[in-house]
Amino acid sequence: MTPVSGRTALDLLDAHLEDLWDGADLPLLPDGLDGHAVDEAGGLVHWALGRLKGLSRQPGDVFTREAGSLLEELRLRVCPWNAAAVRLLGDAYVFVATGPRSHENWAHDVLAVLHRSVRDPRGWIRLDPDRTNSARDSVSAYPFDPPVASELADHLYPLERRAADGAVAVMTEEWMGEPAPVRTRPDQDAVLTDARTLLDRYGPDACYWTNARAAASGPAPDFLTAGLKGTESHHFLTGEYINGFDLLEDLGVIAVSHDEVGVFWSVGAY
């Protein structure tokens, strides 16, 4: 077997933990990690392997949750982007995921992200509260029921970068009963900084799209002033009533670069 580098060791461990989180029947420790690779990867891999070795395989549901928690903590320590994502959107009902740009028509790549059929190309964090929801047994993209690729663009409007920053920033708000909209918060600048950090990932030439009707008349709506509750959007959510949840409202931003597509989606549910 060809020795792996320190960076590859980190990627290998990340993929292994995600498979364990998915419930895959795999050995506790990943194949292919020799001592040299672990040493080259440094303290982060040493720390994660030590935590992994301490996990008990039984009961199985507890093990998968602990593997998922370990994966999320590992990713948080990897880069500032991950920390910004969790700080800004980790407590809200928000889907955040990035996939590779593999098609000239990027709608195919967006659908792959929504259906969870691709991994983040950089191994960075994904926020997906429905990742293991049993609702996905009947609606694979739950909570989404997106249009087919040929019709996706018909439900989207272009956004200028500054407006995209504002849209992602207000996703930290709650749909119902938000006591402190971003426009009123003393940490508004910090919130916007985290939103900019997330979108900076896609580079200066990225294009942005939203399902918010506020962008129908122009690419620069003021999402901060309107707040999350002030948006009206084309619906990307399933209409099926599953597990006692009504999905009521949504706001999405899609980032498209030459190499990646990023999806940021806030969901209002009751």
Side-chain angles (χ1 to χ4, degrees), residues 4-264:
V4 298
S5 68
R7 176 68 238 185
T8 304
L10 191 58
D11 292 341
L12 183 64
L13 180 56
D14 183 286
H16 183 72
L17 283 169
E18 185 160 294
D19 288 338
L20 292 177
W21 191 17
D22 281 336
D25 185 14
L26 295 172
L28 184 64
L29 300 179
D31 292 331
L33 277 185
D34 60 20
H36 171 76
V38 172
D39 290 340
E40 186 178 330
L44 188 55
V45 169
H46 275 286
W47 165 82
L49 286 174
R51 288 279 302 274
L52 182 57
K53 290 175 183 177
L55 298 185
S56 172
R57 299 299 295 250
Q58 298 299 328
D61 60 334
V62 174
F63 172 75
T64 56
R65 287 199 302 272
E66 291 180 343
S69 296
L70 176 56
L71 174 61
E72 290 184 354
E73 190 171 350
L74 174 67
R75 287 174 172 172
L76 275 179
R77 298 184 181 205
V78 166
C79 67
W81 192 93
N82 289 353
V86 171
R87 190 165 51 237
L88 182 66
L89 302 173
D91 292 331
Y93 190 176
V94 178
F95 175 86
V96 176
T98 297
R101 173 83 184 274
S102 304
H103 300 83
E104 182 176 355
N105 179 3
W106 47 263
H108 294 284
D109 302 312
V110 171
L111 291 177
V113 171
L114 294 178
H115 284 274
R116 289 86 159 179
S117 61
V118 292
R119 295 182 186 270
D120 187 297
R122 308 187 199 189
W124 291 359
I125 204 165
R126 175 178 59 196
L127 303 180
D128 185 2
D130 292 301
R131 186 172 178 277
T132 58
N133 192 332
S134 61
R136 295 190 58 216
D137 295 338
S138 54
V139 179
S140 65
Y142 188 90
F144 306 106
D145 182 18
V148 297
S150 61
E151 299 175 2
L152 190 71
D154 296 336
H155 300 263
L156 299 171
Y157 306 102
L159 277 183
E160 293 180 359
R161 169 58 196 271
R162 185 174 180 181
D165 290 338
V168 172
V170 300
M171 290 182 189
T172 196
E173 298 177 8
E174 297 290 342
W175 283 96
M176 294 186 227
E178 172 56 56
V182 172
R183 64 180 179 273
T184 70
R185 297 183 189 181
D187 65 343
Q188 179 184 138
D189 288 345
V191 171
L192 282 168
T193 295
D194 280 341
R196 294 186 192 108
T197 296
L198 296 182
L199 296 186
D200 280 347
R201 165 181 182 159
Y202 306 99
D205 298 323
C207 297
Y208 300 94
W209 303 83
T210 182
N211 65 327
R213 297 180 189 274
S217 57
D222 187 349
F223 287 100
L224 283 181
T225 296
L228 186 63
K229 189 63 178 174
T231 65
E232 294 183 3
S233 304
H234 287 294
H235 215 47
F236 269 60
L237 304 175
T238 178
E240 293 196 36
Y241 181 75
I242 305 174
N243 294 342
F245 276 91
D246 278 317
L247 305 175
L248 305 173
E249 299 162 297
D250 62 331
L251 171 63
V253 170
I254 294 170
V256 180
S257 73
H258 178 72
D259 300 316
E260 297 179 326
V261 294
V263 178
F264 300 81

